[in-house]
Amino acid sequence: MDSIEIEVESGRTSTTVDITGRVAAFCRERGDGLVSVFVPHATAGVAIFETGAGSDADVLSAVDALLPPEAQRWRHEHGTPGHGRDHVVPAFISPSITIPVLDGAPALGTWQSVLLVDTNVDNPSRRVRLSFLPG
């Protein structure tokens, strides 16, 4: 298995960051297999969805609706107000995904992209581990 860690800048606001190009570059010329995308953080996740048509904002709005950021809701208390909800996000948006790779390219659908979903405003930089398992 080949594995690397990449750095992703997510800033100081809730955001999604498209990492599809970096995943594709990692898979290039590796043949068939599986690529695992893993975020080794307790407050971020990765997801596959369409970008550019408003879905990015829709995902963040859905997280806010499902997990409101109001501080008084959460028992977990360190960090900025409402940070407790950031620790719940990975229960709904997984910290890992696995994608089939065919002939050195992630086998994503036409409108699918790989995105880091990060609601934690306390950490502007994230690590993402990419691991390739040959078929």
Side-chain angles (χ1 to χ4, degrees):
M1 179 176 77
D2 293 326
S3 188
I4 65 167
E5 197 169 79
I6 62 173
E7 194 80 16
V8 178
E9 297 302 318
S10 57
R12 295 238 179 239
T13 60
S14 290
T15 192
T16 62
V17 180
D18 189 342
I19 60 172
T20 309
R22 294 177 79 178
V23 173
F26 174 70
C27 294
R28 195 166 291 122
E29 299 181 19
R30 292 186 187 270
D32 295 345
L34 297 171
V35 64
S36 169
V37 182
F38 174 67
V39 182
H41 297 280
T43 58
V46 288
I48 297 174
F49 59 88
E50 178 183 7
T51 62
S55 296
D56 314 53
D58 289 343
V59 165
L60 294 174
S61 293
V63 169
D64 285 346
L66 184 62
L67 305 169
E70 291 81 26
Q72 68 275 13
R73 298 181 68 95
W74 308 103
R75 292 184 187 103
H76 186 98
E77 295 181 349
H78 82 268
T80 58
H83 176 67
R85 76 92 178 241
D86 298 328
H87 285 273
V88 178
V89 167
F92 294 89
I93 299 175
S94 178
S96 67
I97 57 174
T98 302
I99 304 165
V101 177
L102 301 174
D103 197 24
L108 294 167
T110 301
W111 304 112
Q112 290 182 319
S113 296
V114 180
L115 289 104
L116 170 72
V117 179
D118 189 1
T119 61
N120 184 351
V121 300
D122 294 335
N123 294 326
S125 183
R126 297 302 189 146
R127 294 174 293 126
V128 178
R129 176 154 301 279
L130 306 177
S131 301
F132 183 81
L133 184 64

